[in-house]
Amino acid sequence: MHEPSIRETRLRPQYADEYPGIIPGVWLPAAEIARKLVERNHARRRQQRYTRTFDPRHFEFRGAELPARAPASRTRATDAPR
């Protein structure tokens, strides 16, 4: 299997209802999905609905690995350890 040179993500089908406008099960550039999620978050804030931008457990990721974080770097308590 060819590993993509860019970071890609796809929405897990069981979470499709939570992300209208994102087709589940289709690999897309992570930057494209990130833009959609930020737009969704801004729209919700205008409606005074404050939520986390997305739950990473709702997505699968592949491709270009992210650089390792320093052990002391700050993260959310809900982020999976690397």
Side-chain angles (χ1 to χ4, degrees):
M1 182 171 124
H2 173 68
E3 189 71 20
S5 61
I6 62 167
R7 189 79 165 154
E8 292 183 317
T9 187
R10 68 178 171 187
L11 175 61
R12 295 177 191 272
Q14 64 266 37
Y15 301 109
D17 290 344
E18 295 184 41
Y19 301 91
I22 298 177
I23 301 168
V26 176
W27 289 106
L28 295 168
E32 180 181 327
I33 296 297
R35 278 191 298 276
K36 288 182 180 186
L37 293 173
V38 168
E39 288 170 9
R40 180 185 87 137
N41 194 38
H42 287 173
R44 285 182 170 189
R45 285 178 186 249
R46 284 191 294 275
Q47 299 167 355
Q48 300 204 5
R49 295 171 53 201
Y50 299 96
T51 59
R52 187 170 177 185
T53 305
F54 80 107
D55 186 332
R57 296 172 295 187
H58 296 180
F59 294 84
E60 295 177 75
F61 298 90
R62 73 176 183 187
E65 288 297 318
L66 299 173
R69 288 192 302 243
S73 67
R74 294 176 53 183
T75 63
R76 291 183 183 97
T78 57
D79 286 347
R82 286 189 174 189

